[in-house]
Amino acid sequence: MIVVLSKGISTHDREMVRIYLKDRGFSIRDQVLGDDEVIGATGKGMVDLRELGILPGVERVAATSKPYELASRESKSADTIVTVGPVKIGGARITVIAGPCAVESKEQIMETALRVRESGAVMLRGGAYKPRSSPYAFQGLGMQGLEFMKAAGEATGMPIVTEVVSPEFAAAMNDLTDMFQIGARNMQNFELLKKVGAFGKPVLLKRGPSATIEEWLLSAEYLLAAGTRDVVLCERGIRTFETYTRNTLDISAIPVVKGLSHLPILVDPSHAVGIRAKVSPAALAAVAAGADGLTVEVHPRPDEALSDGPQSLFPEQFERLMRDIEALAPVVGKELLRTPKPSPVSVVSIGAVQAPSDKDAGNRVAFSGESGAYAEQALVRAFGEDAPRLAVSSFRGVFDAVLDGSAAFGMAPVENSLAGSIHEVYDLFLRYPDIAMVGELKLRIVHCLIGDEKSSIENISIVRSHPQGFAQCRDFLDKHPDWQLEACNDTATAVASIAREGATKVAAIAGEVAAKAHGLKVLKTGIETNPLNYTRFVIIARRNNNELAPVPPSLGSGPPNKASLVFSVSDEPGSLFACLRIMSERGINLSKLESRPIQGKPWEYLFYVDVTLPEGAGIFNEFIGELKSKTREFHFLGSYRASL
Ligand code: PEP
Ligand code: MN
């Protein structure tokens, strides 16, 4: 049983709760769970939960039906997000850890770190102490190996994770490692768990080859009970009758654990399958099944590896895997954590965008809508759960907030894969020349029909949403021709209006997150016409001046590789062709071309163009110069890192 204490509980009240529990035969422990202070109570004591729940200073009581408590979803419903230095694990992101099985030399770990970092890994793995099945096999370089690894992690900006095989090494390792790994063979080494948990450092807990999910979660409980809040589970294959693969990857453990526990879960496809060619398919399956990330063995020359060479990926294979994960992530509503996201404040300090005026605003990201809006989900994906946000009531409000400095960044949708461009936002870029695009992000949109707890589809007569919501659910709405459609500024506002009015005949089309945020019921999910429904959002910031921004900050790794332009050409044969020819001759790929009427000039058009940038800013600047000379009106909306 978990007793969650109120914030600011007095010492006296806390003592009274402790005495109350002890008097009734419980053994108790003080713990911290997420942001809450809790008392964990175990034993066969008898208690009236209602009586306990109303004691002064008691926020709520969670009676868990599982033998583990701190690890259970019943005691904490929100997903735990584990922080390791600048890296986060859990929530709406896929975190990839990569590195060799074992640290073999200073050069080998450094070379591997550089390669995996280049492909987008955010943490470095590697064994300094190796638990090998044979006593004659390479046992690792020990503390010296860990020192090499720390140096490689520091040089590449990646936190490190390494296995601790014995309580005896734990204290010395604690000074060097950012995260401990408990290996599969040691999952039930309870003395080791107690010792390591007590450091309070993040721990990656591998599942034992023959451990049940319950045993695994009980081991996590040991770590949490010993004092750490940051436990990440890792499925790495279990022993079955099948011998083709090294182990059998228990894919179903991922959704099972997600239901039972709030802890993040990673998958180690390398030890699970043990065959290099099968690692990437298993890794992708893990992501599809809901894993929060991966830990993958990569070696610059696997054939020369001192351990686990046959399952280690070549760096090129890892690069390919990362690209595939990036493409898959939006399907499961996540974003591949490419590099630890810089805080918005540090982004502002780079290049051409300007810091907002007041100090608080330096962290804020503006979006249009109410809590649960798709734009809010997009900003959480780009800037993290803790990003301070500013909800405004229109797209124009987002531009205004960024322009007047009340927010450092804005998140605005520009295009949907089913319904096309959001012209209102494109038009705003022309009206706000001081605002530039500095990043982009694609969010998979799964629409739901959302209503009051008491309503059902049969009773609905009015449906509210943003016009894009209606357009993306055309087929579903066509089946209900009698429904009256009411347009709102955004989808979450539609949901909020129903919650406010308590209307039972009105439904909204919006995301599940919005339903949760406003305490409403999902009447039907997945009502978009096609499941391949993505909205492209752009991150906007204020420019210093109207000049072409040199290299605007990128929220991904590496320099910008995409730019958005708007131009018009003279009304004569070949004028658009002349512009396209410049792109063709310079090998610049056109990824979008759309024409829009120019307001106030009937039958004249602006061209909206997205281009992929070649390597080297010099070529790009020349291209822009040449293109400008062929156009009548020219706007550079910004350059940024393309999202797949
Ligand atoms: C490892 O990750 O290096 C390792 C030995 O894994 P496991 O404990 O899962 O076998
Ligand atoms: Mn290994």
Side-chain angles (χ1 to χ4, degrees), residues 216-380:
W216 185 20
L217 291 174
L218 275 165
S219 290
E221 188 78 10
Y222 261 96
L223 290 165
L224 294 167
T228 182
R229 302 182 201 188
D230 294 322
V231 176
V232 178
L233 300 163
C234 181
E235 159 63 39
R236 44 77 73 202
I238 51 173
R239 189 159 286 194
T240 67
F241 56 84
E242 180 56 68
T243 55
Y244 191 91
T245 49
R246 181 171 175 179
N247 290 287
T248 299
L249 177 58
D250 185 5
I251 284 279
S252 51
I254 303 163
V256 170
V257 162
K258 284 264 162 222
L260 293 174
S261 176
H262 53 86
L263 298 173
I265 176 168
L266 300 188
V267 164
D268 172 349
S270 311
H271 292 89
V273 299
I275 307 164
R276 187 180 306 133
K278 316 292 178 210
V279 168
S280 293
L284 292 170
V287 171
D292 295 298
L294 302 167
T295 170
V296 186
E297 285 185 344
V298 181
H299 195 287
R301 287 163 296 282
D303 299 339
E304 296 168 19
L306 298 182
S307 66
D308 284 348
Q311 69 191 33
S312 299
L313 294 186
F314 285 96
E316 299 71 27
Q317 290 176 303
F318 179 65
E319 164 79 28
R320 167 82 205 269
L321 171 62
M322 290 298 279
R323 292 184 62 75
D324 288 347
I325 294 170
E326 192 164 12
L328 175 60
V331 177
V332 287
K334 292 183 182 164
E335 180 89 350
L336 174 66
L337 183 64
R338 265 289 181 185
T339 45
K341 300 282 185 226
S343 79
V345 181
S346 63
V347 174
V348 167
S349 67
I350 315 167
V353 287
Q354 210 173 57
S357 48
D358 78 275
K359 225 169 101 239
D360 282 352
N363 283 318
R364 238 181 262 144
V365 188
F367 71 100
S368 168
E370 304 218 16
S371 166
Y374 289 114
E376 190 185 24
Q377 292 172 45
L379 84 83
V380 164

Side-chain angles (χ1 to χ4, degrees), residues 467-481:
Q468 279 273 336
F470 295 139
Q472 293 162 33
C473 301
R474 199 65 266 167
D475 287 3
F476 174 72
L477 290 172
D478 284 348
K479 290 187 202 133
H480 301 276

Side-chain angles (χ1 to χ4, degrees), residues 15 58 81 107 120 144 169 234 247 254 292-293 295 405 442 540:
E15 204 41 42
V58 172
I81 293 165
E107 294 71 29
Q144 193 189 31
F169 306 138
C234 181
N247 290 287
I254 303 163
D292 295 298
T295 170
K442 287 188 193 116
I540 61 170

Side-chain angles (χ1 to χ4, degrees), residues 101 125 130-131 163 181 183-185 206 236 268 271 297:
C101 177
R125 61 145 288 143
K130 292 305 303 173
E163 179 169 352
Q181 176 172 315
R185 292 156 193 81
K206 294 271 192 106
R236 44 77 73 202
D268 172 349
H271 292 89
E297 285 185 344

Side-chain angles (χ1 to χ4, degrees), residues 367-374 392-395 464-467 487-495 509-510:
F367 71 100
S368 168
E370 304 218 16
S371 166
Y374 289 114
V392 296
S393 58
S394 64
F395 296 138
R464 292 180 189 152
S465 192
H466 185 271
C488 296
N489 270 354
D490 64 274
T491 56
T493 300
V495 177
I509 293 178

Side-chain angles (χ1 to χ4, degrees), residues 15-74:
E15 204 41 42
M16 293 312 286
V17 178
R18 294 168 63 98
I19 293 170
Y20 180 93
L21 291 166
K22 278 197 199 151
D23 283 353
R24 284 159 182 78
F26 288 98
S27 38
I28 59 169
R29 304 167 313 275
D30 294 322
Q31 310 274 174
V32 178
L33 194 59
D35 292 336
D36 293 322
E37 249 189 275
V38 304
I39 296 179
T42 40
K44 294 204 165 43
M46 294 289 284
V47 73
D48 179 339
L49 290 182
R50 282 170 309 175
E51 190 177 280
L52 176 58
I54 56 171
L55 288 185
V58 172
E59 179 76 29
R60 68 187 165 85
V61 180
T64 57
S65 57
K66 307 287 182 311
Y68 43 86
E69 291 177 348
L70 299 170
S72 87
R73 187 62 90 179
E74 291 167 2

Side-chain angles (χ1 to χ4, degrees), residues 564-572 574-583 590 593 598 601 604-609 611 622-636:
S564 296
L565 321 165
V566 177
F567 59 80
S568 66
V569 291
S570 53
D571 187 12
E572 60 191 37
S575 56
L576 175 61
F577 175 71
C579 296
L580 298 181
R581 188 166 66 194
I582 299 171
M583 297 181 202
L590 190 66
L593 173 62
I598 302 178
K601 294 187 183 169
E604 289 189 33
Y605 299 89
L606 278 170
F607 295 103
Y608 287 73
V609 170
V611 292
E622 271 175 34
F623 154 68
I624 293 290
E626 200 183 339
L627 188 63
K628 251 183 174 171
S629 72
K630 299 275 181 219
T631 58
R632 212 193 243 174
E633 190 181 331
F634 186 91
H635 307 269
F636 182 79

